[in-house]
Amino acid sequence: MPHPRVPGADLHAHSTASDGTDRPAELLQAALAARLAVVAITDHDTTGGWAEAAAALPRGLTVVPGAELSCFAPAEDDPSRAVSLHLLAYLFDPEEPRLAQARRRLRDSRVTRAERMVAGLVAAGVPISWEQVRELAGTGAVGRPHVARALVAAGVVPEVGAAFSPELIADGGRFYVDKEELPVLEAIRLVRAAGGVAVFAHPLAARRGEVVGDATIAAMAAAGLAGLEADHVDHDPAARARARGLAADLGLLVTGGSDYHGRAKTVPLGAHTTTAEALEALLAQGQGCRPWSG
Ligand code: AMP
Ligand code: ZN
Ligand code: FE
Ligand code: FE
């Protein structure tokens, strides 16, 4: 007998197309196992997992194609300083040349910065290699979690999370190297111009590092942002409530997503979801491509 499907829509999940550990087809099977009705595939700076996911669509599951774009905004108290942030983009035209070019630039910069991080670690006597990190990333967009997995394999740290320390590759850590990021207002306009819908991922996740202020979120709304991801593992109850308040003030949708990374992180698929009403409004705004229904 098929599992009864709860009407859950998890709008944030990663695959091996970036730093997740499930192949796109496995991600969809995991969504079925979690009894989700809808899942989005949102790899970092790439649509590389879309084709495999579309070809492996299980019956009864709807997939929202997307990506999570690496962006920055000037800090409100000191515009010479950049604050990193993540923009979820859904239902954009994957062929639209300006956004495609921007994703390519972000991915290329991920390669050179990962090479530089590895070179720094190697120079300090850490027994890993660029070949190894490349292989761990496969054809996917390379990220710090791949470097972290090499550090685990070398016995330098016991698990991936431990590599995100000030002594290693945490933000601003000893071996950390910046990657290229898109100015967020420009990114929102690019997503919109490609027919897509933009949602600010984990906007108030202070434990991940510095977050932007309300004025930046208001400017993002004015540039065409559609929603705020209020329900996310890195938001405590106060942050979720504040995100809901901001969304209400700015006329934005409220979304939720697990930010599933497979074995790379402990949050299960479906841990956070988006209401049917918000999903419907989001889908209505997406003009660059359609969701895939199996
Ligand atoms: P990057 O985009 O290459 O700078 O790497 C950042 C990614 O590393 C995030 O999107 C997360 O997927 C992952 N990450 C960040 N902090 C941690 C952590 N403490 N443990 C495991 N993964 C992490
Ligand atoms: Zn990630
Ligand atoms: Fe993110
Ligand atoms: Fe993510």
Side-chain angles (χ1 to χ4, degrees):
M1 217 176 71
H3 291 301
R5 202 63 54 71
V6 296
D10 185 338
L11 294 186
H12 192 160
H14 297 267
S15 77
T16 51
S18 63
D19 56 8
T21 60
D22 286 6
R23 294 201 55 91
E26 293 169 333
L27 171 64
L28 303 194
Q29 288 303 318
L32 275 191
R35 305 192 182 184
L36 289 168
V38 180
V39 69
I41 178 167
T42 55
D43 279 301
H44 297 286
D45 305 322
T46 186
T47 60
W50 288 20
E52 181 180 322
L57 201 59
R59 259 183 94 82
L61 186 69
T62 294
V63 176
V64 180
E68 185 175 21
L69 302 174
S70 306
C71 300
F72 75 91
E76 286 172 25
D77 61 349
D78 172 10
S80 70
R81 203 174 76 248
V83 179
S84 295
L85 58 92
H86 289 174
L87 190 71
L88 289 161
Y90 304 104
L91 299 169
F92 54 86
D93 174 1
E95 312 284 349
E96 192 285 318
R98 293 204 312 143
L99 183 55
Q101 170 65 28
R103 289 194 303 277
R104 200 171 309 121
R105 227 174 47 233
L106 296 175
R107 288 197 304 276
D108 288 349
S109 135
R110 284 178 165 281
V111 175
T112 45
R113 73 79 102 113
E115 279 180 306
R116 287 176 58 202
M117 285 192 285
V118 170
L121 286 157
V122 168
V126 176
I128 63 170
S129 72
W130 171 240
E131 288 67 36
Q132 183 190 7
V133 172
R134 260 246 91 116
E135 189 166 324
L136 284 163
T139 55
V142 64
R144 277 182 285 168
H146 300 112
V147 178
R149 282 175 223 167
L151 292 168
V152 172
V156 176
V157 287
E159 44 92 28
V160 163
F164 289 83
S165 71
E167 296 72 41
L168 291 168
I169 55 169
D171 288 353
R174 178 167 171 211
F175 297 103
Y176 174 78
V177 176
D178 277 334
K179 63 182 187 301
E180 191 173 326
E181 299 171 325
L182 301 173
V184 70
L185 300 184
E186 188 182 316
I188 291 168
R189 293 186 195 108
L190 275 175
V191 169
R192 293 270 303 224
V197 186
V199 170
F200 189 176
H202 43 79
L204 304 174
R207 55 187 248 210
R208 284 175 168 246
E210 185 173 356
V211 297
V212 301
D214 292 2
T216 299
I217 298 179
M220 291 168 67
L225 186 74
L228 297 179
E229 186 186 46
D231 292 315
H232 184 279
V233 63
D234 292 337
H235 284 171
D236 62 18
R240 287 174 205 192
R242 210 162 83 68
R244 283 191 155 74
L246 277 168
D249 290 348
L250 296 168
L252 299 173
L253 300 171
V254 168
T255 73
S258 64
D259 210 351
Y260 177 72
H261 279 72
R263 291 187 311 282
K265 284 184 173 180
T266 53
V267 192
L269 202 55
H272 298 289
T273 54
T274 301
T275 64
E277 294 71 28
L279 175 69
E280 194 184 332
L282 189 150
L283 295 182
Q285 290 186 42
Q287 305 295 327
C289 64
R290 295 313 305 155
W292 314 321
S293 285

